[in-house]
Amino acid sequence: MAFLADVLSRVKPSATIAMTQKARELKASGVDVISLSVGEPDFDTPAHIKQAGIEAIQRNETRYPPVSGIVPLREAIAKKFKRENGLDYKPSQTIVATGGKHILYNALLATLNPGDEVVIPRPYWVSYPEMVGLCGGTAVFAETRMEEGFKLQPAELERVLTPKTKWIILNSPSNPSGAAYSRTEMKALTDVLLRYPDVHVLTDDIYEHLTYGDFEFVTPAQVEPELYGRTLTMNGVSKGYAMTGWRIGYAAGPEALIKAMDFVQGQQTSGATTIAQWAAVAALEGPQDHLATFRAAFQKRRDLVVSMLNQTKGLTCPTPEGAFYVYPSCAETIGKRTEGGKVIETDQDFVTELLMAEGVAAVHGSAFGLGPNLRISYATSDAVLEEACRRIQRFCGSLR
């Protein structure tokens, strides 16, 4: 009898974590490494949010919390959805967990049976299909094209839906591509979903506040109210509030689903840390001035990186609408040789050789289900990004 579960053989490790760890190890050994592999804002948590956490400690808010979250935070979440998304939820329709990943995992664990299918557009965040597999479901991939901005098209959505489809996962703005759906584009998808009443929508809105220019963020249940009863809208404070280490994700949806997720979470972790929950209350209800500052900085960085990568031999880089990633194609470098004689056969070869030759860490696109591309995070300073892009240009220019 094998000791470890068979399910582990069907799950791959996170490529983003693996590349980030590799970059850290090289840096620790003295190599000059620029890591563009991690999806984390480089800004500090705003002061009023940190202060709320300090005050929670001083008030001795250090006991076990309710599994679904403290009441003030669930109330703040309901207000946030009404204020920013036009969605009416009672606090009892909300849940708080230890990060957005925990929300997604709980929802899938509470709903999937063997044979159930989950539609995932690719490129996708690396954890989606692995969580589906861990929860006993089957990931079904919907294709997108760079020429269409890496956005799922209605005909492709219709093609992959079957009687076994239980969920579709939508992520806008997207990790890894930064693509975001306009109201018209989202409505075209929700129109298809209206014809499939047994399909539920799991929308990952974690990058909601990081869209650029005049782009208007929308979420599925906002665009199509008839989907309200079968949509779980997930969000969190990690990206827009620079609170990745606080580990607070939240969601709102049908009360029966929320109760099932509460049941699952009660046997996993119980409630998220109370101190972080009180900080999240301050994030959602306090000043939002920092969001404009974050957006302006990220938009400037996006434009810098897109411009420099599109001036790089062998790379083509679309301009994303949001998040803090670009997803350039390296197709023109496939088949070329490095100065050391290594043939670039895949996008994984590309990022590996880039790291070894120039000390720039990125993540290969095939880890996100679509290559030959690479994901580059621009959540770092302008000066660092300029240097990184110069190194990428030098590496690509050396290929023969």
mmCIF file of all heavy atoms in Angstrom, residues 303-335:
data_model
loop_
_atom_site.group_PDB
_atom_site.id
_atom_site.type_symbol
_atom_site.label_atom_id
_atom_site.label_comp_id
_atom_site.label_asym_id
_atom_site.label_seq_id
_atom_site.Cartn_x
_atom_site.Cartn_y
_atom_site.Cartn_z
ATOM 1 N N ASP A 303 3.648 50.566 -19.350
ATOM 2 C CA ASP A 303 3.988 51.197 -20.624
ATOM 3 C C ASP A 303 5.484 51.092 -20.913
ATOM 4 O O ASP A 303 5.894 50.883 -22.067
ATOM 5 C CB ASP A 303 3.546 52.660 -20.617
ATOM 6 C CG ASP A 303 2.025 52.809 -20.560
ATOM 7 O OD1 ASP A 303 1.321 51.813 -20.820
ATOM 8 O OD2 ASP A 303 1.550 53.920 -20.244
ATOM 9 N N LEU A 304 6.308 51.232 -19.871
ATOM 10 C CA LEU A 304 7.754 51.106 -20.029
ATOM 11 C C LEU A 304 8.127 49.706 -20.503
ATOM 12 O O LEU A 304 8.884 49.535 -21.476
ATOM 13 C CB LEU A 304 8.441 51.410 -18.687
ATOM 14 C CG LEU A 304 9.921 51.044 -18.575
ATOM 15 C CD1 LEU A 304 10.753 51.931 -19.479
ATOM 16 C CD2 LEU A 304 10.403 51.153 -17.128
ATOM 17 N N VAL A 305 7.595 48.706 -19.829
ATOM 18 C CA VAL A 305 7.955 47.325 -20.141
ATOM 19 C C VAL A 305 7.442 46.922 -21.522
ATOM 20 O O VAL A 305 8.172 46.301 -22.315
ATOM 21 C CB VAL A 305 7.424 46.371 -19.051
ATOM 22 C CG1 VAL A 305 7.596 44.918 -19.460
ATOM 23 C CG2 VAL A 305 8.143 46.629 -17.734
ATOM 24 N N VAL A 306 6.208 47.260 -21.840
ATOM 25 C CA VAL A 306 5.655 46.917 -23.158
ATOM 26 C C VAL A 306 6.501 47.552 -24.260
ATOM 27 O O VAL A 306 6.843 46.911 -25.264
ATOM 28 C CB VAL A 306 4.181 47.351 -23.263
ATOM 29 C CG1 VAL A 306 3.690 47.265 -24.706
ATOM 30 C CG2 VAL A 306 3.303 46.500 -22.363
ATOM 31 N N SER A 307 6.866 48.809 -24.077
ATOM 32 C CA SER A 307 7.661 49.508 -25.085
ATOM 33 C C SER A 307 9.022 48.844 -25.275
ATOM 34 O O SER A 307 9.441 48.565 -26.411
ATOM 35 C CB SER A 307 7.852 50.979 -24.678
ATOM 36 O OG SER A 307 8.715 51.637 -25.584
ATOM 37 N N MET A 308 9.711 48.553 -24.171
ATOM 38 C CA MET A 308 11.055 47.977 -24.282
ATOM 39 C C MET A 308 11.016 46.544 -24.812
ATOM 40 O O MET A 308 11.882 46.148 -25.597
ATOM 41 C CB MET A 308 11.775 48.041 -22.938
ATOM 42 C CG MET A 308 12.124 49.454 -22.499
ATOM 43 S SD MET A 308 13.210 49.527 -21.041
ATOM 44 C CE MET A 308 14.785 48.981 -21.748
ATOM 45 N N LEU A 309 10.019 45.764 -24.430
ATOM 46 C CA LEU A 309 9.947 44.393 -24.926
ATOM 47 C C LEU A 309 9.596 44.353 -26.408
ATOM 48 O O LEU A 309 10.070 43.484 -27.142
ATOM 49 C CB LEU A 309 8.935 43.591 -24.114
ATOM 50 C CG LEU A 309 9.316 43.304 -22.661
ATOM 51 C CD1 LEU A 309 8.249 42.455 -21.984
ATOM 52 C CD2 LEU A 309 10.679 42.638 -22.542
ATOM 53 N N ASN A 310 8.774 45.296 -26.856
ATOM 54 C CA ASN A 310 8.438 45.336 -28.283
ATOM 55 C C ASN A 310 9.593 45.866 -29.133
ATOM 56 O O ASN A 310 9.542 45.778 -30.359
ATOM 57 C CB ASN A 310 7.172 46.161 -28.509
ATOM 58 C CG ASN A 310 5.918 45.352 -28.249
ATOM 59 O OD1 ASN A 310 5.876 44.152 -28.499
ATOM 60 N ND2 ASN A 310 4.883 46.000 -27.729
ATOM 61 N N GLN A 311 10.617 46.391 -28.485
ATOM 62 C CA GLN A 311 11.847 46.771 -29.180
ATOM 63 C C GLN A 311 12.908 45.674 -29.084
ATOM 64 O O GLN A 311 14.054 45.878 -29.482
ATOM 65 C CB GLN A 311 12.402 48.066 -28.581
ATOM 66 C CG GLN A 311 11.506 49.277 -28.752
ATOM 67 C CD GLN A 311 12.026 50.490 -27.989
ATOM 68 O OE1 GLN A 311 13.173 50.891 -28.154
ATOM 69 N NE2 GLN A 311 11.187 51.072 -27.149
ATOM 70 N N THR A 312 12.512 44.522 -28.556
ATOM 71 C CA THR A 312 13.436 43.416 -28.332
ATOM 72 C C THR A 312 13.317 42.398 -29.456
ATOM 73 O O THR A 312 12.212 41.960 -29.800
ATOM 74 C CB THR A 312 13.125 42.729 -26.984
ATOM 75 O OG1 THR A 312 13.238 43.697 -25.939
ATOM 76 C CG2 THR A 312 14.086 41.580 -26.720
ATOM 77 N N LYS A 313 14.442 42.010 -30.015
ATOM 78 C CA LYS A 313 14.467 41.053 -31.121
ATOM 79 C C LYS A 313 13.842 39.734 -30.688
ATOM 80 O O LYS A 313 14.259 39.136 -29.697
ATOM 81 C CB LYS A 313 15.914 40.829 -31.563
ATOM 82 C CG LYS A 313 16.071 39.922 -32.765
ATOM 83 C CD LYS A 313 17.537 39.792 -33.137
ATOM 84 C CE LYS A 313 17.730 38.864 -34.328
ATOM 85 N NZ LYS A 313 19.180 38.702 -34.652
ATOM 86 N N GLY A 314 12.814 39.289 -31.390
ATOM 87 C CA GLY A 314 12.222 37.987 -31.131
ATOM 88 C C GLY A 314 11.052 37.986 -30.173
ATOM 89 O O GLY A 314 10.443 36.938 -29.951
ATOM 90 N N LEU A 315 10.699 39.139 -29.581
ATOM 91 C CA LEU A 315 9.579 39.195 -28.650
ATOM 92 C C LEU A 315 8.461 40.063 -29.212
ATOM 93 O O LEU A 315 8.717 41.069 -29.894
ATOM 94 C CB LEU A 315 10.013 39.767 -27.298
ATOM 95 C CG LEU A 315 11.054 38.982 -26.500
ATOM 96 C CD1 LEU A 315 11.246 39.617 -25.136
ATOM 97 C CD2 LEU A 315 10.671 37.511 -26.356
ATOM 98 N N THR A 316 7.220 39.689 -28.902
ATOM 99 C CA THR A 316 6.045 40.481 -29.236
ATOM 100 C C THR A 316 5.202 40.587 -27.981
ATOM 101 O O THR A 316 4.822 39.572 -27.399
ATOM 102 C CB THR A 316 5.206 39.819 -30.342
ATOM 103 O OG1 THR A 316 6.024 39.630 -31.495
ATOM 104 C CG2 THR A 316 3.998 40.670 -30.699
ATOM 105 N N CYS A 317 4.907 41.822 -27.549
ATOM 106 C CA CYS A 317 4.250 42.017 -26.256
ATOM 107 C C CYS A 317 2.973 42.847 -26.393
ATOM 108 O O CYS A 317 3.032 44.047 -26.652
ATOM 109 C CB CYS A 317 5.207 42.713 -25.282
ATOM 110 S SG CYS A 317 4.548 42.837 -23.604
ATOM 111 N N PRO A 318 1.803 42.222 -26.204
ATOM 112 C CA PRO A 318 0.547 42.983 -26.193
ATOM 113 C C PRO A 318 0.495 43.918 -24.977
ATOM 114 O O PRO A 318 1.185 43.698 -23.980
ATOM 115 C CB PRO A 318 -0.531 41.896 -26.086
ATOM 116 C CG PRO A 318 0.149 40.616 -26.404
ATOM 117 C CD PRO A 318 1.575 40.783 -26.011
ATOM 118 N N THR A 319 -0.365 44.926 -25.066
ATOM 119 C CA THR A 319 -0.568 45.853 -23.947
ATOM 120 C C THR A 319 -1.773 45.395 -23.142
ATOM 121 O O THR A 319 -2.901 45.413 -23.629
ATOM 122 C CB THR A 319 -0.810 47.282 -24.455
ATOM 123 O OG1 THR A 319 0.314 47.695 -25.238
ATOM 124 C CG2 THR A 319 -0.985 48.246 -23.284
ATOM 125 N N PRO A 320 -1.570 44.965 -21.894
ATOM 126 C CA PRO A 320 -2.688 44.474 -21.085
ATOM 127 C C PRO A 320 -3.501 45.614 -20.481
ATOM 128 O O PRO A 320 -3.012 46.739 -20.321
ATOM 129 C CB PRO A 320 -1.994 43.667 -19.984
ATOM 130 C CG PRO A 320 -0.664 44.336 -19.827
ATOM 131 C CD PRO A 320 -0.278 44.829 -21.194
ATOM 132 N N GLU A 321 -4.740 45.300 -20.120
ATOM 133 C CA GLU A 321 -5.625 46.307 -19.521
ATOM 134 C C GLU A 321 -5.443 46.450 -18.018
ATOM 135 O O GLU A 321 -5.827 47.469 -17.446
ATOM 136 C CB GLU A 321 -7.088 45.952 -19.794
ATOM 137 C CG GLU A 321 -7.518 46.057 -21.241
ATOM 138 C CD GLU A 321 -7.274 44.786 -22.035
ATOM 139 O OE1 GLU A 321 -6.697 43.818 -21.485
ATOM 140 O OE2 GLU A 321 -7.643 44.764 -23.222
ATOM 141 N N GLY A 322 -4.879 45.416 -17.361
ATOM 142 C CA GLY A 322 -4.817 45.496 -15.907
ATOM 143 C C GLY A 322 -3.823 44.530 -15.306
ATOM 144 O O GLY A 322 -2.978 43.964 -15.996
ATOM 145 N N ALA A 323 -3.933 44.337 -13.973
ATOM 146 C CA ALA A 323 -3.004 43.545 -13.161
ATOM 147 C C ALA A 323 -1.610 44.162 -13.249
ATOM 148 O O ALA A 323 -1.463 45.347 -13.554
ATOM 149 C CB ALA A 323 -3.026 42.077 -13.563
ATOM 150 N N PHE A 324 -0.548 43.391 -12.974
ATOM 151 C CA PHE A 324 0.809 43.922 -13.139
ATOM 152 C C PHE A 324 1.713 42.896 -13.809
ATOM 153 O O PHE A 324 2.832 42.641 -13.380
ATOM 154 C CB PHE A 324 1.407 44.432 -11.820
ATOM 155 C CG PHE A 324 1.091 43.604 -10.590
ATOM 156 C CD1 PHE A 324 1.576 42.327 -10.436
ATOM 157 C CD2 PHE A 324 0.311 44.146 -9.577
ATOM 158 C CE1 PHE A 324 1.298 41.585 -9.314
ATOM 159 C CE2 PHE A 324 0.018 43.403 -8.436
ATOM 160 C CZ PHE A 324 0.519 42.121 -8.308
ATOM 161 N N TYR A 325 1.165 42.333 -14.909
ATOM 162 C CA TYR A 325 1.920 41.366 -15.696
ATOM 163 C C TYR A 325 1.825 41.707 -17.175
ATOM 164 O O TYR A 325 0.819 42.263 -17.632
ATOM 165 C CB TYR A 325 1.349 39.947 -15.528
ATOM 166 C CG TYR A 325 1.137 39.515 -14.107
ATOM 167 C CD1 TYR A 325 -0.151 39.475 -13.559
ATOM 168 C CD2 TYR A 325 2.208 39.146 -13.301
ATOM 169 C CE1 TYR A 325 -0.363 39.077 -12.258
ATOM 170 C CE2 TYR A 325 2.010 38.753 -11.987
ATOM 171 C CZ TYR A 325 0.722 38.722 -11.465
ATOM 172 O OH TYR A 325 0.515 38.334 -10.172
ATOM 173 N N VAL A 326 2.873 41.333 -17.904
ATOM 174 C CA VAL A 326 2.785 41.263 -19.359
ATOM 175 C C VAL A 326 3.075 39.822 -19.755
ATOM 176 O O VAL A 326 3.704 39.067 -19.006
ATOM 177 C CB VAL A 326 3.750 42.230 -20.060
ATOM 178 C CG1 VAL A 326 3.323 43.669 -19.832
ATOM 179 C CG2 VAL A 326 5.196 42.008 -19.601
ATOM 180 N N TYR A 327 2.615 39.451 -20.957
ATOM 181 C CA TYR A 327 2.691 38.055 -21.379
ATOM 182 C C TYR A 327 3.192 37.990 -22.822
ATOM 183 O O TYR A 327 2.458 37.611 -23.743
ATOM 184 C CB TYR A 327 1.301 37.423 -21.247
ATOM 185 C CG TYR A 327 1.289 35.917 -21.178
ATOM 186 C CD1 TYR A 327 1.874 35.237 -20.117
ATOM 187 C CD2 TYR A 327 0.655 35.172 -22.168
ATOM 188 C CE1 TYR A 327 1.830 33.859 -20.039
ATOM 189 C CE2 TYR A 327 0.602 33.789 -22.104
ATOM 190 C CZ TYR A 327 1.197 33.141 -21.035
ATOM 191 O OH TYR A 327 1.148 31.771 -20.954
ATOM 192 N N PRO A 328 4.455 38.380 -23.023
ATOM 193 C CA PRO A 328 4.964 38.441 -24.393
ATOM 194 C C PRO A 328 5.176 37.059 -25.005
ATOM 195 O O PRO A 328 5.469 36.083 -24.305
ATOM 196 C CB PRO A 328 6.299 39.170 -24.226
ATOM 197 C CG PRO A 328 6.721 38.871 -22.823
ATOM 198 C CD PRO A 328 5.448 38.822 -22.036
ATOM 199 N N SER A 329 5.071 36.998 -26.311
ATOM 200 C CA SER A 329 5.392 35.790 -27.063
ATOM 201 C C SER A 329 6.882 35.770 -27.365
ATOM 202 O O SER A 329 7.472 36.779 -27.761
ATOM 203 C CB SER A 329 4.615 35.757 -28.376
ATOM 204 O OG SER A 329 5.124 34.757 -29.234
ATOM 205 N N CYS A 330 7.484 34.598 -27.183
ATOM 206 C CA CYS A 330 8.895 34.422 -27.562
ATOM 207 C C CYS A 330 9.003 33.424 -28.713
ATOM 208 O O CYS A 330 10.036 32.759 -28.880
ATOM 209 C CB CYS A 330 9.741 33.987 -26.367
ATOM 210 S SG CYS A 330 9.237 32.436 -25.591
ATOM 211 N N ALA A 331 7.930 33.297 -29.499
ATOM 212 C CA ALA A 331 7.880 32.294 -30.571
ATOM 213 C C ALA A 331 9.035 32.449 -31.561
ATOM 214 O O ALA A 331 9.565 31.452 -32.067
ATOM 215 C CB ALA A 331 6.541 32.388 -31.306
ATOM 216 N N GLU A 332 9.437 33.690 -31.823
ATOM 217 C CA GLU A 332 10.488 33.915 -32.822
ATOM 218 C C GLU A 332 11.862 33.494 -32.341
ATOM 219 O O GLU A 332 12.802 33.415 -33.134
ATOM 220 C CB GLU A 332 10.500 35.390 -33.238
ATOM 221 C CG GLU A 332 9.264 35.828 -34.002
ATOM 222 C CD GLU A 332 9.329 37.298 -34.392
ATOM 223 O OE1 GLU A 332 10.446 37.812 -34.580
ATOM 224 O OE2 GLU A 332 8.255 37.918 -34.492
ATOM 225 N N THR A 333 11.991 33.205 -31.047
ATOM 226 C CA THR A 333 13.295 32.755 -30.527
ATOM 227 C C THR A 333 13.411 31.237 -30.529
ATOM 228 O O THR A 333 14.511 30.702 -30.327
ATOM 229 C CB THR A 333 13.523 33.257 -29.084
ATOM 230 O OG1 THR A 333 12.636 32.566 -28.179
ATOM 231 C CG2 THR A 333 13.284 34.749 -28.973
ATOM 232 N N ILE A 334 12.308 30.526 -30.714
ATOM 233 C CA ILE A 334 12.339 29.073 -30.683
ATOM 234 C C ILE A 334 13.170 28.552 -31.860
ATOM 235 O O ILE A 334 12.977 28.962 -33.008
ATOM 236 C CB ILE A 334 10.912 28.482 -30.726
ATOM 237 C CG1 ILE A 334 10.083 29.014 -29.551
ATOM 238 C CG2 ILE A 334 10.967 26.963 -30.716
ATOM 239 C CD1 ILE A 334 10.636 28.706 -28.175
ATOM 240 N N GLY A 335 14.083 27.627 -31.563
ATOM 241 C CA GLY A 335 14.975 27.079 -32.584
ATOM 242 C C GLY A 335 16.306 27.787 -32.662
ATOM 243 O O GLY A 335 17.236 27.295 -33.327
#
